[in-house]
Amino acid sequence: MPDFASWASAWWKPVLFLIVAGHVTNVCVTLFLHRSQTHRGVTFSKVVEIPMRIWLWLSTSIVTKEWVACHRKHHAFADREGDPHSPLIEGLRNIMVKGALYYRKAVRQPEILEKYGKGTPNDWLERYVLERVNWLGIVVMLGVDIYLFGFFVGPLVWAAQMLWIPFWAAGILNGVGHALGYRNFDVKDESRNISPIAIWLGGEELHNNHHADPHSAKFKAKWYEFDIGWAYIRLFQLFGLAKVKYARS
Ligand SMILES: [Zn+2]
Ligand SMILES: [Zn+2]
């Protein structure tokens, strides 16, 4: 166990921690919340699923049913009236700056959760911990950050972690992914691929490919594209920890 505040001894340590922790968070969002729970393209063994759920609880306080419902509604209405977060309807600037608020507005409505949130985990862990005290995970994380980085750097690292998903996913992805970038598929909505090498956001940068075939666990569509989320799925599959239900050929 590291000593109190020992990870703040050099400037690069908290920076490295943020990048690694942030990448793990992005991967849990794309693999568990998005490709598995929302679109059912892949299922994971409990050995990887439970750690992913706990990490999301610690680093984001996202409730699976809420995220799934909001995202399924986004697909159902993409860039039309009823889409919870369309830059076409709300304006790119609004989505990029206030993306998380649009998300909260959608998941506050019980009828949306009822209609679009079906089939998400409902076990003991979900009912009594992850959903009931969804705010507790990020409080535990604050304690861990203070222990690792001390009373000054710790809360800064924590604040950056808390802004991570609202910024990258609710802001950049939901905004830029429907406004700027290239298209492989002429789908009805305005979805765009932000980058062909999709490492930073776990493969989610290939957002137009995803809208063209949402059920596919694989977001890559052209030979020059790289979807790191798909690479992780293949790796888990190798060890028998993931079952692919459907992937585009
Ligand atoms: Zn979209
Ligand atoms: Zn989707």
Side-chain angles (χ1 to χ4, degrees):
M1 190 123 150
D3 288 333
F4 181 80
S6 61
W7 284 17
S9 58
W11 67 268
W12 57 267
K13 290 184 183 175
V15 172
L16 183 68
F17 175 85
L18 256 179
I19 292 172
V20 172
H23 183 68
V24 172
T25 303
N26 289 350
V27 169
C28 292
V29 170
T30 186
L31 294 193
F32 175 70
L33 290 176
H34 196 192
R35 304 188 202 209
S36 178
Q37 289 296 312
T38 304
H39 297 295
R40 310 276 157 193
V42 56
T43 55
F44 295 102
S45 137
K46 296 271 174 262
V47 178
V48 285
E49 188 178 296
I50 288 174
M52 285 198 280
R53 288 166 65 190
I54 292 173
W55 179 255
L56 286 167
W57 179 68
L58 289 169
S59 60
T60 69
S61 78
I62 287 172
V63 173
T64 302
K65 194 184 190 67
E66 295 182 354
W67 197 96
V68 165
C70 180
H71 191 68
R72 283 183 185 153
K73 191 162 188 279
H74 165 62
H75 276 270
F77 292 93
D79 293 321
R80 290 183 290 126
E81 197 61 49
D83 184 341
H85 44 68
S86 169
L88 217 73
I89 295 168
E90 310 292 346
L92 178 58
R93 196 174 163 272
N94 272 337
I95 297 296
M96 287 180 70
V97 179
K98 302 184 293 192
L101 296 179
Y102 288 95
Y103 171 81
R104 293 256 36 108
K105 205 171 116 192
V107 302
R108 263 205 313 261
Q109 304 170 43
E111 63 279 9
I112 293 185
L113 299 187
E114 180 53 38
K115 183 162 183 205
Y116 294 99
K118 290 198 168 68
T120 50
N122 190 29
D123 52 9
W124 184 91
L125 179 66
E126 192 69 27
R127 283 200 303 268
Y128 293 101
V129 185
L130 308 184
E131 191 176 340
R132 180 168 298 179
V133 284
N134 73 309
W135 51 269
L136 184 63
I138 57 175
V139 176
V140 173
M141 195 76 230
L142 177 63
V144 171
D145 285 341
I146 289 176
Y147 181 82
L148 293 174
F149 301 103
F151 288 109
F152 179 66
V153 180
L156 291 177
V157 169
W158 182 80
Q161 279 187 282
M162 294 306 111
L163 289 173
W164 192 268
I165 283 299
F167 178 75
W168 289 110
I172 298 292
L173 199 74
N174 292 344
V176 176
H178 277 261
L180 311 166
Y182 70 98
R183 278 160 78 84
N184 286 333
F185 301 96
D186 194 15
V187 286
K188 278 201 198 115
D189 57 69
E190 282 300 311
S191 59
R192 298 279 195 280
N193 293 329
I194 304 173
S195 151
I197 315 282
I199 293 173
W200 190 243
L201 297 178
E204 293 284 333
E205 292 101 319
L206 297 166
H207 200 64
N208 170 251
N209 293 355
H210 169 58
H211 269 270
D213 196 358
H215 185 41
S216 172
K218 176 183 173 186
F219 289 1
K220 166 193 163 86
K222 301 277 185 204
W223 65 267
Y224 52 82
E225 291 170 340
F226 176 70
D227 165 12
I228 197 170
W230 176 242
Y232 288 133
I233 290 174
R234 299 290 282 175
L235 190 69
F236 285 137
Q237 211 181 12
L238 210 64
F239 293 98
L241 298 171
K243 270 204 190 80
V244 175
K245 300 281 171 197
Y246 168 68
R248 62 154 54 91
S249 50

